[in-house]
Amino acid sequence: MSLLLRRLKKSFREPDGNPLPIINIDHFELKQAEQVALVGSSGGGKTTLLHLISGIHTPDSGEVIIDQVNLAGLGEPARDRFRAMKIGYIFQTFNLLPAFTALENVLLGMSFSGQKSNRAHAIDLLDEVGLKHRLSHKPSKLSVGEQQRVAIARALANKPKLLLADEPTASIDSRNQNNVLRMIRDVCKEHHVTLLLVTHSEEVARQFDRVETLSDFNKPEELLATASK
Amino acid sequence: MSLIHIAWKSIRQRSLASSLTAFNMALGVMLMVAVLVFYGVIEKSFKQTGAHYQLIVGPKGSKVDLVLSSVYRVSPPIENLPYLYYLQLKNDPRVEEAIPIALGDVTQEGAFPIVGTVSRYFELPYADKKKFKVKAKNGFSGSFDSIIGAEVAKQNGWDIGSTFKLVHGGADVGHTHDEEFTVVDILARTGTPNDRTVFVNLKGFYQLGDHDKPVEEAIDQLQKFYPDGVPGGEKRIKELREFAASGGDHHDHGEEEGGDHAHHHHHHHDLPDELKEVTSVFVMMRDQDDYAAYNFMNELKTGFQAQAVNPTQVMTDLMQSLIGNVQKIMVVLITLIIIVSGIGIFVSIYNSMADRRREIAIMRSLGAQRQTIFAIILTESVLLCLGGGLLGLLLGHGLFFVGAPIIENSTGLIIDRYAFEPLELTLFPVLLLLAILIGFLPGMTAYRTNVADVLSE
Ligand SMILES: Nc1ncnc2c1ncn2[C@@H]1O[C@H](COP(=O)(O)OP(=O)(O)OP(=O)(O)O)[C@@H](O)[C@H]1O
Ligand SMILES: [Mg+2]
């Protein structure tokens, strides 16, 4: 699945009401099955960008084109459906549901996509991230690293075509970090999933053929300049 | 995972608030079910008891009082009928059977109502096609014979051969009659007020002190009852006055006070019929047709100072006017209770929405549609309402099961503990509707949740 961002703009508002431009990307492209590491300073807008790509945020203007479909032009229900079926998202803050066990969290992702929830597949995924012995633990009973791995398994549950990972290995020790990272990359490779992975870690970024720094192609300050003219 | 599963999870997540609010609902539904079943059963047994008597003839006045005192023995009689009139009914060619009853006293032990009557009372069915069963097949033979209901035997521990005294229920309440009655037979349980009644031979009843009237009062009443002339005419009235003068009227106890008390206090001789009274007369027409009874009723309306009523009709009317209204008021009050518990569920779900904004946003970010989220909240409300309702249904029947013996003891009616009122079933569609109303606003809040805002909080 290919991704193309064109003239993508997003501003928030400061508490005093002034616009706070975060994203201003003229052109950014990921090829089908490409694996890209995205680095950048904290607060630079990496998470915001992933939200825009997944359709959780709507851009102020511009296009998010995934496989020739402009996500920004779709209505909300279609965008929800598209996200459920095509995009896997590993949140920086995991976003597990506290009322549900590890296994149920993975199954939930499946049930919203309209597919039949496949229990065996969910268990396989949790096994792959090393959590077979934690299936019926609730998030509060899991370590932070374990929670992150549940989030990874959930993101992969619907066999997405585009995987957005927001620092997926930040809370895992370096040995496990490499295992998990390899697992994510292997799964993506095997199923030709396009991967955009945000990281702060030099070590992680080094493993990717293509590493992008957000500030190289995102120029929000230009928005402010044009606005003040 | 199904919506129900997801909704159930979040109910469990807030188990204390959920169970309290659902239990609240259960209590409301329990009361509703108990009231519906209770009134259903009471109405049924009230209508059935005494339904086999075609007519009850009594003095003019309140029909309800007449039936309540004659059949249910719950309200004491106010007026009486002349015994002469009973004889007249008995001899009426259209009448198949006329059974006199006289009420007024209660037993000293247990205060069970006394009914003076004749052996034929026990030959008639006590309910539709149901005949009395007795322990020993002894009718009344001696004047002071008594046949008692099953509940009386049980509560007082009486058996055949037991003796007892009566307390006068008339003017000087609390005065105990000296005469002792003997139990000669015990009725099998009927599930009617007969179980709580002590029947005594009418003959003996008249021989108790105070159960005959002073002659002048009796003559006065007869003249009122028969405005066109007392049977037997002036001649008979003169004879009565002579009877009284000869000492037949034994109401002046004073002069005997000093004498041999046990021997002379009462005169156990037969009274002239003119001095006797009955409370009412159960009448079976020769013609089983309701029309015959109806004609007879109308005839009485214009003639004597008596009325004939159809007990079933009277009870149905009473149920409608009196108990029906009480039931309606209770149903309205309990409906309010249920609505209040519904509001409790609403508040509980609505308050939880603030904590669940994130949960909802996550579900949305996983691809859940807005409608799906709305449906989850609605399902939660439905689960709480119907779950509470189901629990309430069980509790209501449980309450009725436990309460039935109490009703049985105080009314003498036999209650079907497993009684089910079809109206109960309408509770569930109503609860479903309530659940949808309750879930709507929180559901809409959930529906409107802005995923991006919540996730970036
Ligand atoms: N909903 C919002 N409203 C206002 N400002 C926001 C909102 N979301 C993000 N921001 C701001 O946008 C900027 C970029 O945030 P973002 O989370 O995208 O950064 P990031 O690059 O992911 O940082 P980090 O590496 O620390 O995760 C931040 O300064 C943040 O305060
Ligand atoms: Mg971030």
Side-chain angles (χ1 to χ4, degrees):
Chain A
M1 182 180 272
S2 64
L3 169 71
L4 174 61
L5 307 180
R6 264 206 307 237
R7 290 183 291 280
L8 190 66
K9 294 180 179 61
K10 179 72 181 176
S11 297
F12 292 119
R13 292 214 164 264
E14 294 201 69
D16 58 16
N18 289 331
L20 175 67
I22 301 294
I23 298 292
N24 177 28
I25 297 172
D26 201 47
H27 183 96
F28 182 77
E29 199 170 351
L30 292 182
K31 294 193 176 62
Q32 151 84 12
E34 202 176 7
Q35 301 195 345
V36 175
L38 181 65
V39 296
S41 55
S42 178
K46 302 181 295 296
T47 301
T48 306
L49 178 61
L50 294 194
H51 280 167
L52 284 170
I53 296 173
S54 65
I56 290 172
H57 273 320
T58 45
D60 299 336
S61 63
E63 294 169 334
V64 176
I65 297 167
I66 298 176
D67 273 350
Q68 282 81 50
V69 178
N70 180 12
L71 205 54
L74 294 178
E76 190 190 63
R79 226 162 50 223
D80 287 340
R81 222 170 298 127
F82 190 89
R83 179 166 60 245
M85 285 175 358
K86 301 278 174 63
I87 301 177
Y89 198 125
I90 303 167
F91 292 93
Q92 191 170 11
T93 48
F94 322 145
N95 284 345
L96 298 179
L97 290 158
F100 298 84
T101 65
L103 179 59
E104 286 165 345
N105 262 284
V106 177
L107 287 170
L108 258 184
M110 294 179 179
S111 45
F112 290 138
S113 71
Q115 293 165 254
K116 255 194 145 179
S117 41
N118 183 340
R119 212 183 154 80
H121 181 220
I123 293 173
D124 278 350
L125 283 168
L126 284 166
D127 191 17
E128 270 185 80
V129 295
L131 286 178
K132 191 154 189 162
H133 58 305
R134 292 281 183 273
L135 294 182
S136 44
H137 279 55
K138 291 201 175 156
S140 59
K141 298 275 164 20
L142 292 171
S143 77
V144 176
E146 285 169 335
Q147 289 179 44
Q148 190 154 35
R149 283 182 275 162
V150 175
I152 293 168
R154 186 179 65 186
L156 294 172
N158 286 333
K159 301 185 176 130
K161 292 288 156 215
L162 171 64
L163 183 61
L164 304 171
D166 203 347
E167 300 190 46
T169 58
S171 316
I172 310 178
D173 64 85
S174 59
R175 207 169 60 90
N176 270 311
Q177 172 177 302
N178 283 330
N179 287 341
V180 168
L181 190 64
R182 193 171 316 116
M183 186 208 112
I184 293 175
R185 299 194 63 187
D186 287 352
V187 169
C188 289
K189 199 169 194 170
E190 192 185 332
H191 296 104
H192 307 286
V193 178
T194 313
L195 173 65
L196 182 60
L197 185 141
V198 171
T199 183
H200 276 154
S201 154
E202 286 276 317
E203 195 193 336
V204 170
R206 219 182 299 124
Q207 298 179 34
F208 284 78
D209 297 335
R210 183 179 163 197
V211 178
E212 293 281 353
T213 305
L214 182 60
S215 54
D216 289 350
F217 59 94
N218 180 33
K219 309 283 181 198
E221 59 286 349
E222 289 175 4
L223 278 181
L224 215 52
T226 45
S228 60
K229 266 180 204 166
Chain B
M1 271 197 285
S2 64
L3 289 184
I4 291 180
H5 192 156
I6 296 171
W8 176 241
K9 280 278 167 181
S10 61
I11 288 176
R12 286 261 310 273
Q13 185 74 356
R14 299 170 291 117
S15 52
L16 183 69
S18 303
S19 45
L20 283 181
T21 50
F23 190 65
N24 226 356
M25 177 61 78
L27 289 182
V29 172
M30 173 188 86
L31 288 178
M32 184 65 97
V33 166
V35 163
L36 289 180
V37 175
F38 174 79
Y39 279 102
V41 164
I42 292 292
E43 190 170 352
K44 209 160 77 189
S45 46
F46 256 90
K47 279 183 189 167
Q48 271 171 5
T49 306
H52 57 291
Y53 300 121
Q54 249 177 321
L55 290 174
I56 297 177
V57 179
K60 277 220 163 87
S62 156
K63 291 179 179 183
V64 170
D65 280 350
L66 177 58
V67 176
L68 282 182
S69 62
S70 302
V71 179
Y72 297 93
R73 286 137 207 166
V74 289
S75 80
I78 301 157
E79 299 257 14
N80 285 319
L81 289 176
Y83 188 81
L84 287 186
Y85 184 64
Y86 151 63
L87 293 178
Q88 229 171 299
L89 286 173
K90 194 172 163 234
N91 296 328
D92 192 304
R94 293 166 297 175
V95 170
E96 164 89 29
E97 183 67 287
I99 312 267
I101 64 164
L103 282 117
D105 292 358
V106 297
T107 56
Q108 195 177 19
E109 198 180 333
F112 291 105
I114 298 290
V115 170
T117 186
V118 295
S119 293
R120 297 198 313 279
Y121 180 90
F122 304 102
E123 285 154 23
L124 286 182
Y126 63 86
D128 221 14
K129 297 190 187 82
K130 284 185 182 150
K131 291 214 147 199
F132 282 110
K133 289 196 191 76
V134 289
K135 197 169 170 185
K137 289 204 171 58
N138 294 329
F140 294 134
S141 46
S143 293
F144 293 98
D145 281 357
S146 159
I147 296 175
I148 63 175
E151 192 57 34
V152 180
K154 189 179 144 203
Q155 281 190 26
N156 281 0
W158 289 350
D159 205 342
I160 291 172
S162 299
T163 58
F164 60 93
K165 286 186 177 178
L166 308 186
V167 178
H168 193 56
D172 54 337
V173 180
H175 163 71
T176 307
H177 292 298
D178 289 336
E179 292 82 351
E180 277 205 332
F181 283 84
T182 307
V183 177
V184 296
D185 215 336
I186 299 171
L187 299 173
R189 196 169 277 277
T190 61
T192 65
N194 289 309
D195 294 351
R196 303 178 39 78
T197 304
V198 170
F199 298 92
V200 299
N201 194 341
L202 193 59
K203 244 187 190 165
F205 193 83
Y206 289 131
Q207 288 175 15
L208 298 176
D210 307 338
H211 281 195
D212 51 343
K213 292 208 157 189
V215 169
E216 286 310 321
E217 200 183 316
I219 292 170
D220 215 44
Q221 294 230 325
L222 279 175
Q223 280 169 339
K224 257 190 221 149
F225 192 83
Y226 294 108
D228 300 336
V230 179
E234 283 303 318
K235 186 170 149 275
R236 185 62 190 148
I237 290 174
K238 222 178 119 202
E239 281 169 23
L240 284 173
R241 289 203 169 106
E242 278 161 14
F243 167 80
S246 74
D249 185 1
H250 47 74
H251 272 265
D252 34 336
H253 298 283
E255 57 187 50
E256 290 174 15
E257 220 57 88
D260 188 347
H261 200 250
H263 255 150
H264 299 291
H265 189 78
H266 293 294
H267 308 251
H268 293 162
H269 51 71
D270 285 341
L271 283 174
D273 288 342
E274 283 82 352
L275 300 186
K276 296 181 193 167
E277 288 180 328
V278 296
T279 302
S280 58
V281 183
F282 294 159
V283 173
M284 311 287 281
M285 306 299 288
R286 211 172 283 280
D287 189 348
Q288 289 292 305
D289 191 353
D290 280 346
Y291 190 68
Y294 183 75
N295 271 345
F296 196 73
M297 264 163 79
N298 275 343
E299 191 179 305
L300 285 184
K301 265 185 200 153
T302 51
F304 306 98
Q305 291 302 307
Q307 63 174 344
V309 300
N310 176 321
T312 314
Q313 183 66 49
V314 171
M315 287 322 290
T316 308
D317 291 351
L318 179 68
M319 284 316 281
Q320 282 313 319
S321 68
L322 181 81
I323 302 182
N325 277 338
V326 174
Q327 185 194 15
K328 263 177 222 142
I329 290 167
M330 290 190 80
V331 165
V332 167
L333 286 180
I334 296 168
T335 304
L336 288 178
I337 293 178
I338 289 178
I339 289 173
V340 169
S341 4
I343 293 173
I345 291 178
F346 167 79
V347 169
S348 159
I349 295 180
Y350 196 80
N351 278 347
S352 77
M353 295 315 293
D355 304 335
R356 290 164 61 189
R357 273 161 54 84
R358 189 163 186 89
E359 198 179 310
I360 288 161
I362 295 168
M363 289 188 187
R364 288 289 316 284
S365 77
L366 293 177
Q369 303 274 316
R370 284 185 193 272
Q371 305 86 291
T372 312
I373 301 295
F374 180 78
I376 288 172
I377 304 297
L378 216 58
T379 308
E380 238 174 83
S381 165
V382 169
L383 283 178
L384 286 175
C385 286
L386 290 191
L390 208 63
L391 180 66
L393 187 77
L394 294 176
L395 287 176
H397 280 282
L399 186 71
F400 185 74
F401 189 87
V402 173
I406 301 169
I407 309 171
E408 282 181 350
N409 284 340
S410 57
T411 60
L413 303 168
I414 282 190
I415 307 286
D416 174 13
R417 281 157 206 228
Y418 299 98
F420 183 83
E421 185 63 27
L423 205 59
E424 288 173 47
L425 289 180
T426 61
L427 269 173
F428 285 87
V430 170
L431 283 180
L432 191 67
L433 200 73
L434 185 66
I436 291 170
L437 283 177
I438 288 167
F440 192 80
L441 202 59
M444 280 318 285
T445 313
Y447 184 92
R448 290 212 198 91
T449 304
N450 185 317
V451 189
D453 284 355
V454 177
L455 284 187
S456 53
E457 258 164 21

